[in-house]
Amino acid sequence: MGTASSLVSPGEVIEDGYGGEGGEACEIPVEVKPKARLLRSSFRRGPRVIGASFKSTGSVDLEYAAEYERLRKEYEIFRVSKNNEISSMQKKEAKLDEENKRLRAELQALQKTYQKILREKESALEAKYQAMERATTFEHDRDKVKRQFKIFRETKEKEIQDLLRARRDLEAKLQQLQAQGIQVYDPNDSDSDDNQTTVTAAGTQCEYWTGGVFGSEPSMGSMMQLQQTFRGPEFAHSLIDVEGPFTNVSRDDWDAAVASLLQVSPHVPQALWSNTVRCYLISTQETRVELDIFIKKHSPALRQMCESLGHFYLNVFFPEEIASSYTTERKQEIERSSVCVLFLKSTVTSSVVEDCEEAFVKNPDGHPLVLYLKTEDHSLTEPVRQLLERVNTADKAAKVKVVDHSGSAEEGASLIYAQLEKIIKQELLGLEGADVDPKDSGIDEGHEEDSGDVPWDLHDEQEQIESYQQACSSTTSQLSFQKYIDRLNDMIAAPPPTPPLLVSGGPGSGKSLLLSKWIELQQKQSPSTLFLYHFVGRPLSTSSEPVLIIKRLTVKLLQHFWSISGLSMEPCKILEEFPRWLERLSARHQGNIIIIIDSIDQIQQAERHMKWLIDPLPVNVRVVVSVNVETCPQAWRLWPTLHLDPLNPKEVRSIVNTECQSIELKLTKDQEKKLERHCRSASTCNALYVTLLARMITSIRACCSLEKSLAECLQCQDTLSLYCLALKMILNSLSTDREQHIMKEILCLVYTSHNGVSESEVLDLFPEVELPTLSSLLHRLNRLCIVTLRCGLIRFQHLQAWEAVRIEFLGAGSSPSYYREKLIHYFNQQLSQDRVTWRVADELPWLLQQQEDRAKLQLSLLNLFVSQNLYKRGHFSELLAYWQYVGKDKSSMATEYFDSLKRYEKSCESEDSMSKLANLYETLGCFLKDLGLPSQAVAPLQRSLEIRETALDPDHPSVACSLHQLAGVYVQWKKYGNAEQLYKQALEISENAYGSEHASVARELESLTMLYQKQNKYEQAEKLRKRSVKIRQKTARQKGHMYGFSLLRRRALQLEELTLGKDSADCAKTLNELGVLYYLQNNLDAAKVFLTRSLEMRQRVLGPDHPDCAQSLNNLAALHTEKREYEAAEDMYERALDIRKKALSPDHPSLAYTLKHLAILYKRRGKLEKALPLYELSLEIREKSFGLKHPSVATALVNLAVLYCQLKKHSDALPLYERALKVYEDSLGRSHPRVGETLKNLAVLSYEEGEFEKAAELYKRAMEIKEAEQSLVCGNAPSRHSSSGDTLSLRGPAPLPHVQR
């Protein structure tokens, strides 16, 4: 009764339902309460039922209790058994989890093993394929070498036998002639240039020795004289006074001459190198009708013509009623003007007289002048007569174009237009004739021809020229940079290998000024040195694009080759191939190469895109870069560094005093002390801060008290805050709210644009603004170093000014997007008028990209003339980046362009439109070819060919262009047979159209040369190469190399304007430079006039024994030599030698130069004995000037050895040759072309001495060097200076993310 054990029958087993097997019975004790309690509890449940017996009620309760106990016992059993089951399952779950983890770990290990095995398999397969390729290449090269050696051996054996037989015949003839008393001498031989072939002992030449890199090779039995024109020491800094870049220029050495003439320019007025044609108009009320008609009717035509040729046009006119308020601005505009036009009738006002005095009387030669004189009744007042007399007196050279008119005003305006059109085309833009028909395409077709197959934007070059000119002409450049210049010279003179030199300093410390001043001095002292400079502008501008920078430097390098057809357009390859081009040119260049990149840290991802800087540079190459000390990449800080120190108190006083003296302002002692105390911290003692501070002080004296203004300025502790104050000061100085608003708008437009805005664009955007108001505002902003005009565009002078405009005007309430939309609307209007200029192509796509408007950007790119403009100007990487930003791949781009062209073709009906269509198809084909899609490039090129053959003529020169481009695609496909056929067709058409000596013929010959070299047809390639070089050399003398002629011609016109003043040494120097320029253009008569004038003026001003007179005598002697007037040339060389012997030290290089050329002339005239002591003296001078191991000394040794050989003194010549060879190998390397030429001369000498085996060995080595040089020209040899690792990833302008290829 007391336990639950009685509820379990004996022998009965209670099983665990969750157990796997049975078990023993489990006795579960359960307490049961006593029955009495149960009874008592049952009595309490409710009222007692009447009539029920005690017995019956207790029985019921007992039955319920038993049932309850039974159920309770079963529940407990069920609960316990379920708990046991749960515990067992938890154990099994833990066991399964552990097993799962183990299996997963094994699976991961197996997967890693599989991937490793798979990678090893792929690597093994790749290595196998590479090994097979190397084996195939090795077998091919081995067979090729065997064939070449066999051919070489058989050919040379035959040639040696022929030469021996010819020598015996010639010696027999020589003996017969000598027996008859006849002296053998060929006056057409020898050289005016050291590179030409000398006269043989037998008087004949042999083609076996011809051909080579430097012109004619030595004939049999003679030696080549190497060029030894003095161009300055290699890199050793010397205080020797070298005469300058225009001294002793030889036209045969065109590369060095043009390089010197183009990179060294006199400081001529801005109007002569500006990109804007500024027409300054002076008119009275009587001629206002003609002026208004000209401005409204004819000026738009002049503007359209200039813009189509890549220039801006601007009319500058100050009405009489307001002219007196703009005296300073008028004077400045006259100085900057390109041409001045004076409208006169019968009366004049004071402002007209002032402008005439400034433009026509004081500086009549500064720019072209036009005088429109309306003579209806022939009644001129006395003031007008006096003014005309003064103009006529000042016009000594009769350069004023007079338009004497008595008809209607419309006719007079038309005459003015015709005269200005002729002046702009011929005198300002340097075009050959006045019949240029400018198409409104924005492309100057001449530019493409000038640079061969490589599109190049001359605006980028113009921007760099103006940046350099502005830096050189800056008043701040008067700072004492001499200590930095000396340190730069010492660092440049360090022995190679030398890493790039770092010029560091804070913002505005004067890094750009220092580099400009140093370049200017070095160009004068080292004329042979080639300077390549690039001034990087603000971020996101064109001048900071790394691909365009490297491409520009590469093109500048390739100007020293006869062709630049091998330059790739692909951005990655441009960056990769630049060090290779640099290495090739450095081996050929006679002087040295210095590359200067200013503000290189402004280039985005400069370390990545300028990786070539960390590679070893060629021995005669130096690189100088400037960086902001705060943003300099860490890896570059290990380079040799020149840090610009803060200005000292003396320099601060000098800058302030210079600015104050310019307006006759005198500061008190107390004010000067305040300035000195203030300009002592690192942020207030840099050149920019002090210059801006001084100009603010001198500019605000009329606005308020000087003391108060000075106190406000001295509260600014850095340049940025000072710029902000300058902006506020200019705003407060403007008289009306409208002028203040216009100033803010202009600066915000300049800020948000890509490269700036032009003055004509500002006037278009704000029609209510008059030019006098704009001119005054820009004058103030320029005065305070905020903006400047560069390449015809308004730009910020410094990055701090750009930042100050953002802080002041683009903060609260103003957004750059608003101003971008304004510019987008303006350029879209030009597109709607079919005016696709270079400005539209530069700005519109970039602005749309900055606005993140992909749809409109794609529409602008599908304007075929916009894309054509970008591509033909060399902005290939920029165009590609736009398409990548839109999200189109190469195939999609091609499809879009094809569809757009098909739509445009449906609207083409006239011959002119069909010609434009052919140009578009050709541009698309070239673009796709450069993209690496030759299969898709064929269709547009063939369509272009079909259109030109149908619309023009099958023999039209344009058809030759299409054939040339189509052949280039077949070359990419390696279908050389098809390419050869097309090149030959293009060659035939060009010869029939232009003659056999045109530059287009040379281009086809060069393409065929490269094609034959790819096919290992070296003999055919060499013949075509020689013919091409002859054409290039001839056209270089007549027209100019690359774009050089147009610049040389323009430079000659500029210099001619500067030589009409009084006699002076500077004027005589300019006359000498003009003579050299005309000499290079093959205009010998004009050259003789200017050189003679230079000599006579120098004799009058400096005296007949001055060294400058010797320079003029030298150049005149070279001119007489060119005209084969040898007696006059000899006399002038002897006079120049006498002057230099008296005036210069015995070891002066200029003396050596005169000695050399007089010796060459003696040799030419057969006076070998007189030439010998001169050659020996020239060698002594070079040894003293440069040392015994300098290449110039080796050149003098070779030339002296050649003379000894001609005198049959072979024993004296041999040690000179061996010494020269050792110097060349040590200084230039064993594979340099000069080494090969010296080996050839030694081979000739050994042959004449009877040492045939030694001669063959030397000649074989010389040929190996020559073939290696040819392989470099063909682009087959890798560069040991090329960068490894990542190449360029094409991107859009920041802040957009980079798009990987």
Side-chain angles (χ1 to χ4, degrees), residues 732-789:
N732 295 332
S733 67
L734 298 177
S735 57
T736 64
D737 294 339
R738 182 59 186 167
E739 290 180 351
Q740 295 178 358
H741 174 71
I742 290 174
M743 173 184 160
K744 292 180 181 179
E745 293 284 300
I746 292 175
L747 291 177
C748 290
L749 288 175
V750 175
Y751 178 89
T752 53
S753 64
H754 188 194
N755 293 310
V757 294
S758 68
E759 294 166 282
S760 56
E761 290 167 354
V762 170
L763 295 174
D764 290 341
L765 287 165
F766 304 98
E768 69 278 11
V769 177
E770 299 291 338
L771 188 129
T773 303
L774 177 62
S775 176
S776 176
L777 177 60
L778 293 180
H779 173 71
R780 297 183 188 184
L781 292 172
N782 178 265
R783 171 69 181 166
L784 295 186
C785 307
I786 296 174
V787 300
T788 185
L789 279 174

Side-chain angles (χ1 to χ4, degrees), residues 234-237 489-501 586 591-593 615-623 640 1189-1191 1223-1229 1280-1281:
E234 291 290 314
F235 270 112
H237 177 58
N489 291 333
D490 294 338
M491 296 166 76
I492 286 293
T498 302
L501 308 178
S586 64
N592 312 294
I593 302 173
D615 293 332
L617 297 171
V619 293
N620 61 336
V621 175
R622 295 290 186 273
V623 177
K1189 297 182 179 180
H1190 195 275
V1223 172
Y1224 277 142
E1225 289 179 339
D1226 292 343
S1227 60
L1228 303 178
R1280 64 177 182 272
H1281 300 300

Side-chain angles (χ1 to χ4, degrees), residues 499-517:
L501 308 178
L502 206 64
V503 178
S504 69
S509 57
K511 301 183 291 294
S512 302
L513 298 177
L514 169 63
L515 291 178
S516 302
K517 187 67 175 178

Side-chain angles (χ1 to χ4, degrees), residues 935-991:
S935 58
Q936 299 186 44
V938 170
L941 289 175
Q942 287 181 336
R943 180 60 181 148
S944 172
L945 178 61
E946 293 171 2
I947 294 172
R948 285 172 172 170
E949 287 180 338
T950 305
L952 299 174
D953 186 78
D955 294 330
H956 194 275
S958 298
V959 176
C961 296
S962 296
L963 292 170
H964 178 88
Q965 299 296 345
L966 194 57
V969 178
Y970 284 116
V971 170
Q972 284 190 352
W973 277 346
K974 297 187 177 180
K975 295 183 178 181
Y976 298 135
N978 296 344
E980 181 179 0
Q981 182 180 2
L982 294 175
Y983 278 138
K984 287 183 177 179
Q985 291 179 19
L987 177 62
E988 182 180 358
I989 293 174
S990 298
E991 287 179 333

Side-chain angles (χ1 to χ4, degrees), residues 999-1015:
S1000 299
V1001 176
R1003 184 178 72 162
E1004 304 303 334
L1005 291 172
E1006 290 164 358
S1007 301
L1008 279 170
T1009 298
M1010 298 182 67
L1011 181 65
Y1012 286 143
Q1013 288 171 341
K1014 290 179 182 292
Q1015 302 177 72

Side-chain angles (χ1 to χ4, degrees), residues 468 691 907 1296:
Y468 171 71
T691 302
S907 64
L1296 303 174

Side-chain angles (χ1 to χ4, degrees), residues 421-708:
E421 184 184 28
K422 183 178 180 181
I423 290 174
I424 291 172
K425 289 179 179 179
Q426 293 185 343
E427 298 187 29
L428 299 181
L429 303 185
L431 302 179
E432 288 299 321
D435 300 328
V436 180
D437 184 18
K439 304 296 181 185
D440 194 18
S441 59
I443 302 293
D444 186 358
E445 298 297 336
H447 293 175
E448 183 181 3
E449 178 183 355
D450 285 343
S451 52
D453 292 336
V454 180
W456 188 33
D457 189 4
L458 289 182
H459 296 104
D460 297 340
E461 184 65 24
Q462 180 78 17
E463 178 184 350
Q464 294 301 315
I465 293 174
E466 293 190 25
S467 299
Y468 171 71
Q469 290 275 5
Q470 288 181 358
C472 290
S473 59
S474 172
T475 57
T476 316
S477 62
Q478 298 173 359
L479 287 173
S480 177
F481 284 137
Q482 190 58 45
K483 60 178 180 180
Y484 300 121
I485 291 174
D486 293 340
R487 290 174 62 185
L488 269 176
N489 291 333
D490 294 338
M491 296 166 76
I492 286 293
T498 302
L501 308 178
L502 206 64
V503 178
S504 69
S509 57
K511 301 183 291 294
S512 302
L513 298 177
L514 169 63
L515 291 178
S516 302
K517 187 67 175 178
W518 181 71
I519 293 172
E520 184 180 20
L521 294 176
Q522 285 293 315
Q523 285 176 338
K524 295 178 180 179
Q525 296 178 359
S526 302
S528 65
T529 302
L530 172 63
F531 288 89
L532 305 177
Y533 56 80
H534 188 91
F535 293 87
V536 180
R538 67 176 178 85
L540 304 184
S541 64
T542 301
S543 61
S544 64
E545 287 291 328
V547 176
L548 294 179
I549 293 173
I550 296 301
K551 181 181 177 183
R552 176 182 172 271
L553 294 177
T554 305
V555 173
K556 296 288 287 183
L557 278 171
L558 293 179
Q559 290 174 8
H560 293 260
F561 287 91
W562 293 115
S563 172
I564 62 174
S565 301
L567 181 61
S568 172
M569 285 292 294
E570 189 174 349
C572 298
K573 291 185 178 180
I574 288 177
L575 296 178
E576 181 182 353
E577 292 176 357
F578 175 70
R580 301 178 185 175
W581 288 114
L582 185 60
E583 181 181 0
R584 295 170 198 169
L585 180 60
S586 64
R588 291 171 164 229
H589 188 57
Q590 303 301 321
N592 312 294
I593 302 173
I594 299 180
I595 301 174
I596 301 102
I597 304 179
D598 179 48
S599 302
I600 193 173
D601 52 328
Q602 297 297 329
I603 301 174
Q604 296 181 4
Q605 295 184 344
E607 286 185 275
R608 182 178 186 182
H609 296 139
M610 299 291 167
K611 293 182 68 172
W612 59 274
L613 289 172
I614 64 176
D615 293 332
L617 297 171
V619 293
N620 61 336
V621 175
R622 295 290 186 273
V623 177
V624 181
V625 298
S626 71
V627 296
N628 189 337
V629 68
E630 300 172 356
T631 59
C632 177
Q634 190 64 34
W636 295 358
R637 296 179 185 268
L638 300 176
W639 295 346
T641 303
L642 174 62
H643 184 74
L644 269 63
D645 300 325
L647 299 181
N648 56 46
K650 182 179 179 181
E651 292 171 332
V652 171
R653 285 196 303 270
S654 174
I655 295 176
V656 174
N657 290 336
T658 301
E659 296 295 336
C660 292
Q661 289 173 3
S662 64
I663 63 168
E664 299 180 355
L665 174 65
K666 180 66 175 177
L667 297 178
T668 64
K669 294 293 183 180
D670 184 55
Q671 291 170 344
E672 291 179 355
K673 289 181 180 179
K674 286 182 180 180
L675 285 174
E676 289 183 16
R677 286 197 300 268
H678 178 70
C679 297
R680 288 182 179 178
S681 64
S683 59
T684 60
C685 61
N686 62 70
L688 177 58
Y689 182 93
V690 176
T691 302
L692 179 57
L693 177 62
R695 292 189 178 183
M696 290 177 66
I697 294 173
T698 56
S699 299
I700 58 184
R701 63 167 185 168
C703 301
C704 56
S705 66
L706 181 61
E707 194 67 33
K708 181 180 177 181

